[in-house]
Amino acid sequence: MTSRPPKGATRIHRLPTIAPDVLTPAQRVGRSCVSCRKQWPLPRVRIGRLPDGSPVMACSDCAEVLGVD
């Protein structure tokens, strides 16, 4: 038997929760990549979430390396 997400669940609910205390202020608000800290172009790939549900973002290069599409 496999566990399935509830009907209507979105992808964001399956993202890992990341502790905000390990992130810079710019990373916490999505202004820099959570991995390489690049700020331009703005990171656009959600790779996790903060405990309050806010998204944690990565640039497309780091997201590819991390295996997130």
Side-chain angles (χ1 to χ4, degrees):
M1 174 185 249
T2 60
S3 173
R4 294 184 186 196
K7 192 172 190 175
T10 60
R11 184 171 184 253
I12 195 163
H13 295 294
R14 294 187 298 259
L15 295 173
T17 301
I18 298 171
D21 56 335
V22 300
L23 304 175
T24 67
Q27 289 170 321
R28 283 186 219 125
V29 296
R31 302 285 304 164
S32 70
C33 175
V34 72
S35 181
C36 71
R37 298 185 183 178
K38 181 168 63 173
Q39 294 184 346
W40 184 257
L42 285 176
R44 300 195 181 269
V45 182
R46 292 181 183 181
I47 63 152
R49 59 188 170 107
L50 297 175
D52 69 0
S54 300
V56 175
M57 309 298 281
C59 65
S60 57
D61 293 335
C62 289
E64 184 178 332
V65 170
L66 294 169
V68 179
D69 44 13

